[in-house]
Amino acid sequence: VIFWLPYDAPPWTKGLKGVPSHKVELAQCNTPIQRWNLPGVPDDFEIFIKRDDLTGSVLSGNKVRKLEFLFADAIKQGCSSIITCGGTQSNFCRATCICAKTLGMKAHLLLKTDKDPADVPCAGNYLLDHMVGAHVYFLPTNLGLHEDVWPRMRQLADTIEKETGKKAYTTPPGGSTSVGMFGYVNAFHEMTKQDAFESITDVVSATGSGGTAAGLIVGNHLTGNKVKLHGMVVSDTGPFHHNEVNQMLRDVELQKADGSGLTSEDSINLLDGPIGAGYALSSQDELEFIRDVAQHTGIILDPVYTGKSVFHLVKQLQTNPGMFKGKKIIFLHTGGMFALFDGRMQDVFAEASQKVTVWKEFTDKAPLKV
Ligand SMILES: *Cc1c(COP(=O)(O)O)cnc(C)c1O
């Protein structure tokens, strides 16, 4: 495979266990860090945005950084297909099946929904899944990950191996394993090389399955804890994610089996408010906020992760400024905009049709509306 290259890990990762030996080059890296004139931010704060929404077009967001390592691992193990799971609008599932196609592999997606296939609109991420011909399975939403979903992923992997003689790689939702996590160890290194941490005091990102948080924690810890990390929890709960992150820290041996050493609890401030109505559920306020941010700054946030995170970030800046280590904050834009295209913005722009100028006839004066 042409894209499969040895991974030149940052020198400070040397003592870690399981540093990936290879990486598949799929992400457009060195994404810019820009000043962000976010509305509602108190005057004494400066907000910057790390544009990981620009890591690609359909292969964009934080997931492609994790997939560079997950696919390298899959290839190393001789796998020719990949199995993962998520919701119907999962960014990880979308990115996984597109990566798979790019590398000539097959993707099997276990998507949780109680709807009939005929009732799920082919829109947003789910449209892209079908565009690249992913094999899609619908699972009831009440299934537990460890009790129900993992056994099915393993069974599917076994069946694929028996019937085709080729191995299948399985990866959990969000690709948050100690392998996928290296996407954000690497991104942290990239930000260091961009001199981001010379003046930045805080880094804020969305937390959905913990891999991004874990990578940032490892990078921050091994380079001298220059910044305070904050994770806006948009699925499950803070304690749930601390557990997941701790597992990844144990896998790389920054934490011992007895829980001593580096802990997630001491390394990141996980906030439980941002989830709002529930995972992937939007309130009208959040959707209008996403519209307002776009209209003020040209930055498109997604409804499931970054929109909720920034909505909550602004609230915290206004009501709890002491939570931050300092006044210069980077928000990590982790992508995900395709979920905006699933129809949920319809009501926000219901009156937009009234603002459209219908211009049929050419007259002596342009029908300008200001
Ligand atoms: C998955 C995802 C996240 C959360 O990252 P985790 O590593 O799963 O915590 C944030 N933003 C977007 C757009 C995502 O798709």
Side-chain angles (χ1 to χ4, degrees):
V1 184
I2 5 170
F3 307 101
W4 193 62
L5 301 165
Y7 173 46
D8 186 17
W12 39 261
T13 58
K14 216 162 152 201
L16 299 181
K17 191 185 170 215
V19 176
S21 61
H22 289 77
K23 178 172 178 278
V24 183
E25 307 240 299
L26 294 165
Q28 304 300 313
C29 288
N30 297 309
T31 55
I33 298 173
Q34 301 164 338
R35 186 68 213 277
W36 193 22
N37 208 358
L38 188 60
V41 172
D43 283 346
D44 52 338
F45 281 96
E46 265 185 278
I47 312 293
F48 296 82
I49 183 166
K50 167 76 173 164
R51 300 290 308 273
D52 271 10
D53 55 325
L54 301 181
T55 49
S57 79
V58 288
L59 202 48
S60 58
N62 62 341
K63 299 309 175 336
V64 63
R65 289 195 187 261
K66 299 180 185 185
L67 287 167
E68 290 197 319
F69 292 98
L70 292 165
F71 272 97
D73 193 33
I75 292 167
K76 201 172 168 182
Q77 293 185 25
C79 298
S80 61
S81 47
I82 187 159
I83 303 169
T84 192
C85 57
T88 48
Q89 284 299 332
S90 164
N91 293 310
F92 183 64
C93 289
R94 177 254 309 157
T96 298
C97 64
I98 295 172
C99 280
K101 259 304 128 89
T102 312
L103 297 168
M105 291 167 66
K106 291 198 167 66
H108 297 261
L109 307 178
L110 278 57
L111 305 181
K112 279 167 91 173
T113 172
D114 294 320
K115 289 190 179 155
D116 239 38
D119 296 332
V120 178
C122 216
N125 285 304
Y126 184 66
L127 165 66
L128 292 168
D129 299 344
H130 283 294
M131 284 294 293
V132 296
H135 299 268
V136 174
Y137 309 78
F138 276 6
L139 269 50
T141 52
N142 62 3
L143 296 190
L145 176 63
H146 295 286
E147 321 83 88
D148 306 306
V149 181
W150 267 113
R152 292 186 196 207
M153 293 207 291
R154 280 193 212 98
Q155 188 189 43
L156 187 57
D158 289 344
T159 309
I160 291 170
E161 197 171 340
K162 272 194 208 106
E163 301 211 341
T164 67
K166 289 175 184 163
K167 288 209 282 183
Y169 191 82
T170 52
T171 184
S176 289
T177 66
S178 57
V179 174
M181 173 194 90
F182 272 87
Y184 274 85
V185 172
N186 203 49
F188 194 93
H189 185 48
E190 176 180 304
M191 287 193 266
T192 306
K193 286 188 290 183
Q194 291 174 314
D195 290 333
F197 305 127
E198 297 303 307
S199 59
I200 289 298
T201 57
D202 298 77
V203 175
V204 177
S205 61
T207 301
S209 63
T212 303
L216 296 175
I217 288 172
V218 170
N220 195 32
H221 171 73
L222 295 175
T223 57
N225 283 311
K226 293 197 181 78
V227 290
K228 182 170 179 184
L229 301 173
H230 308 266
M232 298 294 182
V233 175
V234 297
S235 78
D236 303 288
T237 64
F240 173 88
H241 293 298
H242 279 312
N243 274 337
E244 300 288 306
V245 171
N246 281 326
Q247 182 57 52
M248 292 179 254
L249 297 179
R250 281 195 293 278
D251 291 344
V252 295
E253 293 183 349
L254 282 171
Q255 188 179 109
K256 298 210 181 78
D258 66 4
S260 63
L262 187 69
T263 66
S264 176
E265 289 82 352
D266 290 341
S267 307
I268 189 164
N269 172 30
L270 290 183
L271 285 96
D272 264 321
I275 190 169
Y279 175 71
L281 301 175
S282 298
S283 70
Q284 194 67 11
D285 279 355
E286 289 164 7
L287 296 178
E288 287 173 3
F289 176 79
I290 290 170
R291 174 199 61 197
D292 293 346
V293 170
Q295 293 190 351
H296 274 88
T297 73
I299 297 287
I300 310 296
L301 299 171
D302 84 283
V304 183
Y305 298 92
T306 55
K308 288 185 182 194
S309 297
V310 177
F311 185 65
H312 205 74
L313 169 62
V314 173
K315 273 198 214 160
Q316 292 296 318
L317 289 166
Q318 291 170 349
T319 60
N320 190 17
M323 178 184 96
F324 301 92
K325 181 180 168 196
K327 304 285 184 194
K328 287 191 185 225
I329 299 171
I330 286 184
F331 177 72
L332 175 62
H333 192 328
T334 39
M337 72 159 162
F338 302 105
L340 275 181
F341 304 151
D342 71 351
R344 74 176 82 204
M345 293 303 280
Q346 214 66 40
D347 288 346
V348 174
F349 292 105
E351 82 287 17
S353 60
Q354 294 154 26
K355 292 190 184 148
V356 174
T357 304
V358 179
W359 190 354
K360 280 191 185 153
E361 307 295 332
F362 188 86
T363 51
D364 21 323
K365 196 165 175 289
L368 174 68
K369 272 195 209 162
V370 281

